[in-house]
Amino acid sequence: MMKRRHRSVNDEEQTQFLLDESSVHASRKRHYSDLADDDDDFEFFTPLNIILVSLWSISLVLFTIWVATIVSERWDQMHSSVTSTAVRMRHVPSLQFPAITICNLAQDVPLRPVYCGAYNNASTCKPQHDGELTNCLVYNNDKSSIYAAERTGLADTLMIAVGVNINRYPPREPFSGVHINLHEPCDRAKDECPEELTSALMSAPGTPVFFRMTKVVNEYLNGTTHVHFEARDSDVGDHNFETVFGKANDTVVLGFHYMSMSEMVIKELPRYTWLSLGAEVGGIVGLLYGIGIVNVISGIIKSIFLGKSYVK
């Protein structure tokens, strides 16, 4: 009796388990059936969806026109010859002096070298006579022995004095003095030196003039560089001028030194690049739609794998 009763209980438990399992399967089936019905019942062309799609379509068209206009303008800028520049000061421990071409204002009268050396008489230099320009002298043009400064101000100032031979000036010559050109060491035979009348610095006899120089390095997009020198002048008194240098009306005294131990670097930059264009368009998209590239990619992936359920 006990064995039959025990078997009966086990049969009832097994029957109940089977009923529960079938109930679970039925519930799942109804759930999937409901989802399928919902997909079948999904209506895209509702008034609200039509309004939303219309708004998004209009905004997309306006955005496309806006971006196309920007891309067209930036494309013209990228292919334009107009560029932008970046300026910075680059500190260096030593600055080489430029070559200094000094020419007499009287084009047919040669100059007479009087003195060339450091302000403190620590070193001396000799000029070179320009073969083509007989009225000019060139200083510091030997690449093997370039004068350099390690300090600013008078400490490493290069002093030059020349005689203009005033007694040989033509009677109708309106001015006396010299004009000065600062440039890189060059060879005039190879057409490397500047023309005589391109200089902008001038000085008159009898008044010592000091030029505060700045070295400027231009770096271009094609990889080439060009060096030039800018200078500002200041006058000083002429105490014992004739005793030290010679007649005041016949002698020009010049001093050259650097304003700072830095060179100005002017780098040419493209006015507009593809990176700038991408950043500008991306900013417009973020401003208009509040989305980024990660949102766009994730939305595409979800729409592919989730289908209508993600669209809803």
Side-chain angles (χ1 to χ4, degrees):
M1 292 293 292
M2 293 296 294
K3 290 182 179 180
R4 290 180 179 176
R5 198 175 286 176
H6 179 68
R7 289 179 179 176
S8 177
V9 171
N10 289 339
D11 293 340
E12 291 178 358
E13 291 178 352
Q14 187 175 5
T15 303
Q16 185 63 37
F17 174 77
L18 293 174
L19 290 174
D20 293 339
E21 188 174 359
S22 63
S23 177
V24 170
H25 283 297
S27 177
R28 289 179 179 175
K29 187 175 181 180
R30 287 194 301 271
H31 175 71
Y32 290 128
S33 178
D34 292 340
L35 289 178
D37 293 339
D38 290 341
D39 288 341
D40 294 337
D41 295 338
F42 175 72
E43 296 182 6
F44 181 79
F45 295 101
T46 62
L48 179 59
N49 285 342
I50 292 175
I51 293 174
L52 293 176
V53 169
S54 300
L55 291 176
W56 274 94
S57 300
I58 293 172
S59 63
L60 182 61
V61 171
L62 294 177
F63 168 74
T64 303
I65 295 174
W66 188 11
V67 171
T69 303
I70 293 175
V71 170
S72 177
E73 293 177 354
R74 300 301 183 259
W75 180 266
D76 293 337
Q77 291 181 4
M78 284 190 291
H79 292 80
S80 172
S81 59
V82 179
T83 59
S84 61
T85 56
V87 180
R88 63 186 177 93
M89 300 302 295
R90 181 169 59 196
H91 180 77
V92 292
S94 176
L95 278 173
Q96 291 186 344
F97 270 58
I100 303 170
T101 298
I102 304 174
C103 299
N104 204 330
L105 288 179
Q107 295 187 9
D108 297 327
V109 179
L111 291 175
R112 183 181 72 257
V114 176
Y115 173 80
C116 176
Y119 181 82
N120 55 8
N121 294 319
S123 61
T124 59
C125 58
K126 294 181 179 181
Q128 298 176 354
H129 291 272
D130 194 305
E132 296 183 11
L133 304 176
T134 57
N135 63 322
C136 299
L137 294 174
V138 185
Y139 292 85
N140 199 44
N141 197 41
D142 186 358
K143 296 181 181 180
S144 62
S145 58
I146 297 294
Y147 187 82
E150 297 179 353
R151 295 167 294 180
T152 60
L154 292 176
D156 284 339
T157 296
L158 178 63
M159 300 294 302
I160 298 175
V162 296
V164 298
N165 292 318
I166 194 68
N167 58 333
R168 298 174 60 178
Y169 266 51
R172 294 179 177 273
E173 186 69 38
F175 307 109
S176 64
V178 298
H179 55 92
I180 307 118
N181 206 321
L182 307 178
H183 54 87
E184 286 278 90
C186 62
D187 187 350
R188 188 169 294 278
K190 297 180 180 179
D191 199 24
E192 296 175 350
C193 300
E195 297 296 328
E196 176 192 359
L197 297 178
T198 58
S199 57
L201 305 177
M202 295 188 181
S203 182
T207 303
V209 179
F210 285 79
F211 294 97
R212 306 184 306 277
M213 301 182 299
T214 300
K215 183 177 181 180
V216 182
V217 181
N218 293 87
E219 298 178 351
Y220 298 101
L221 289 174
N222 59 7
T224 60
T225 60
H226 174 71
V227 177
H228 70 277
F229 299 85
E230 297 178 353
R232 299 178 182 179
D233 63 296
S234 56
D235 301 336
V236 295
D238 57 357
H239 180 65
N240 286 332
F241 184 94
E242 293 193 350
T243 302
V244 177
F245 299 108
K247 292 183 179 181
N249 69 335
D250 189 51
T251 308
V252 175
V253 177
L254 309 169
F256 300 90
H257 61 89
Y258 279 106
M259 296 180 62
S260 67
M261 296 305 297
S262 300
E263 54 188 15
M264 181 185 298
V265 180
I266 303 176
K267 186 173 183 179
E268 186 180 29
L269 301 173
R271 187 173 180 181
Y272 211 77
T273 62
W274 285 107
L275 180 61
S276 302
L277 178 61
E280 187 168 356
V281 173
I284 295 173
V285 173
L287 177 66
L288 186 62
Y289 296 107
I291 59 175
I293 187 65
V294 176
N295 304 97
V296 173
I297 295 175
S298 62
I300 294 174
I301 293 174
K302 289 179 180 179
S303 63
I304 292 174
F305 287 97
L306 299 181
K308 292 183 179 180
S309 60
Y310 175 71
V311 175
K312 292 190 293 182

